[in-house]
């Protein structure tokens, strides 16, 4: 019978690269670790790995069990955490994965009143899942995914919580600030700032520039919103950001929003959660709090 410990051993070998390091990570002796796998191999009549010097090479069967471990262990660990919270009398925790750079400012407005109303619920924001959130959600690494670009998949439901318009941000002294709308050709001689995201995921390319076969003179990636808008205000370039975010900086910086094309670019912030978490009361309360910001 395959036990959880067997899956843990295979995962730690993959993570650490050797039997010795895997054994240390699991607080086992190397002989105990090897013995556990040998017993499984004997019962299953199949070899799981081959030793090549100090290295371990998984067989086809071992690779299959590793893929099972990577799917199941995060779910089991999540279940352990939930049971522990119940045992401690805690209400719960919401682990939020962000797949949206500018959404942090919006999230703060949701979190502040939520934690005041639900002091027994912890909030954990995980940034490492940026632009890989669906896998994290399905693997139980996060509970809620914040994204402007939902990928609809069985077992996950997305709820739109904020509609907004993606706009071009320019300095108030910029010649484009006099326009009510800009066209793709207006950006041909501009420096375009964006977050460090693949070009195909940037709306200003996919929905505005690329269909018109236009490109800016230069494209630069900047991680921090504050720095990006400081550069825009100084006339160093332009950027495409949510209108609600530009409004928050309009009183502090000399920047102005201009519509992208005649129809503009309409977007929404979505919250994605697993279908089996639909009945979790505090997660639903978090979503209702997010909807109040519309």
């Amino acid at each position: 019978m395959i036990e959880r410990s067997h899956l843990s051993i295979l995962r730690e070998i993959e993570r650490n690269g050797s039997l010795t390091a895997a054994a240390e990570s699991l607080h086992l002796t190397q002989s105990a670790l090897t013995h556990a796998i040998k017993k499984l191999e004997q019962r299953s009549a199949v070899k799981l790995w081959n030793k090549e010097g100090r290295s371990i090479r998984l067989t086809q069967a071992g690779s299959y069990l590793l893929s099972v471990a990577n799917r199941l262990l995060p779910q089991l660990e999540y279940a352990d955490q939930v049971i522990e919270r119940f045992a401690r009398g805690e209400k719960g925790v919401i682990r939020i994965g962000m797949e949206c750079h500018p959404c942090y400012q919006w999230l703060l407005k949701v979190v502040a009143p939520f934690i005041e109303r639900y002091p027994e619920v912890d909030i954990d924001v995980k940034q490492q899942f940026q632009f890989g959130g669906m896998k994290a959600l399905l693997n139980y690494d996060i509970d809620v995914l914040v994204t402007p670009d939902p990928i609809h998949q069985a077992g996950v439901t997305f709820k739109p919580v904020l509609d907004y318009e993606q706009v071009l941000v320019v300095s108030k002294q910029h010649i484009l600030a006099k326009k009510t709308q800009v066209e793709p050709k207006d950006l041909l001689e501009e420096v375009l700032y964006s977050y460090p995201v693949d070009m195909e995921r940037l709306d200003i390319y996919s929905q505005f520039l690329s269909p018109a076969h236009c490109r800016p003179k230069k494209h630069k990636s900047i991680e921090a919103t504050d720095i990006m808008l400081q550069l825009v205000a100084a006339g160093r370039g332009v950027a495409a950001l949510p209108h609600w975010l530009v409004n928050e900086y309009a009183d502090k910086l000399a920047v102005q929003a201009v519509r992208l094309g005649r129809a503009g670019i309409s977007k929404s912030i979505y919250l994605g959660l697993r279908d089996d978490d639909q009945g979790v009361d505090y997660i639903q309360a978090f979503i209702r709090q997010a909807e109040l910001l519309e």
Side-chain angles (χ1 to χ4, degrees):
M1 175 184 290
I2 299 171
E3 299 175 1
R4 182 173 175 177
S5 60
H6 298 135
L7 300 180
S8 297
I9 288 171
L10 291 175
R11 185 177 66 174
E12 291 307 311
I13 288 175
E14 180 198 34
R15 286 178 172 177
N16 294 282
S18 71
L19 291 177
T20 302
E24 290 178 356
S25 175
L26 294 168
H27 305 291
L28 297 172
T29 64
Q30 184 173 333
S31 60
L33 184 150
T34 304
H35 180 69
I37 294 298
K38 281 185 177 179
K39 284 185 65 176
L40 177 59
E41 289 178 330
Q42 291 169 358
R43 288 201 301 264
S44 306
V46 64
K47 198 164 183 61
L48 297 177
W49 69 43
N50 292 307
K51 295 185 69 174
E52 297 178 348
R54 294 185 177 181
S55 301
I56 294 293
R57 182 174 59 84
L58 294 179
T59 64
Q60 187 175 2
S63 295
Y64 168 74
L65 273 189
L66 175 60
S67 68
V68 172
N70 288 333
R71 289 197 308 271
L72 293 184
L73 287 176
Q75 299 183 39
L76 292 173
E77 289 160 357
Y78 175 67
D80 287 341
Q81 294 169 12
V82 172
I83 295 300
E84 288 175 5
R85 290 197 297 271
F86 279 122
R88 293 194 300 265
E90 297 178 1
K91 181 68 173 180
V93 62
I94 302 177
R95 299 166 302 167
I96 302 170
M98 300 295 295
E99 205 177 53
C100 169
H101 271 86
C103 292
Y104 286 101
Q105 284 91 328
W106 169 84
L107 182 62
L108 290 174
K109 297 180 180 180
V110 180
V111 169
F114 178 81
I115 59 178
E116 185 175 346
R117 292 182 59 191
Y118 295 86
E120 72 278 18
V121 178
D122 289 332
I123 298 288
D124 185 10
V125 179
K126 297 179 177 290
Q127 302 179 37
Q128 65 264 40
F129 301 116
Q130 225 158 29
F131 311 114
M134 276 299 292
K135 181 179 179 181
L137 188 61
L138 292 170
N139 282 349
Y140 287 75
D141 293 312
I142 59 176
D143 307 306
V144 176
L145 174 62
V146 181
T147 181
D149 301 302
I151 300 174
H152 297 285
Q153 188 169 335
V156 174
T157 298
F158 285 94
K159 177 76 172 179
V161 293
L162 177 67
D163 297 326
Y164 65 92
E165 183 176 341
Q166 192 84 342
V167 296
L168 187 73
V169 193
V170 301
S171 164
K172 288 186 175 181
Q173 305 303 316
H174 198 291
I175 189 171
L176 295 179
K178 299 177 182 179
K179 290 178 170 283
T180 56
Q181 66 185 56
V182 295
E183 301 302 328
K185 61 183 177 60
D186 293 325
L187 273 63
L188 291 175
E189 297 301 317
E190 298 296 332
V191 175
L192 176 64
Y193 296 116
S194 78
Y195 296 110
V197 183
D198 291 338
M199 190 178 296
E200 59 269 18
R201 293 190 63 126
L202 291 171
D203 296 314
I204 192 169
Y205 280 97
S206 63
Q207 298 190 45
F208 187 69
L209 293 171
S210 295
H213 305 289
C214 291
R215 288 287 187 274
K217 181 175 68 174
K218 188 175 293 186
H219 179 190
K220 295 183 178 181
S221 296
I222 297 179
E223 183 83 27
T225 302
D226 289 344
I227 299 299
M228 186 187 300
L229 288 176
Q230 288 279 0
L231 290 168
V232 170
R236 302 283 188 88
V238 300
L241 293 171
H243 198 289
W244 58 264
L245 182 60
V246 180
N247 289 343
E248 293 187 3
Y249 282 86
D251 293 336
K252 299 179 288 184
L253 296 172
V255 295
Q256 182 172 320
V258 184
R259 172 163 284 187
L260 289 164
R262 183 176 180 181
I265 297 178
S266 298
K267 297 286 292 182
S268 297
I269 293 177
Y270 291 82
L271 298 184
L273 66 153
R274 295 179 294 273
D275 289 346
D276 55 9
D277 283 341
Q278 292 287 346
V280 180
D281 57 351
Y282 55 86
I283 291 181
Q284 291 300 323
F286 180 83
I287 293 174
R288 288 194 296 271
Q289 184 65 52
E291 291 175 321
L292 292 176
L293 292 182
E294 286 190 296

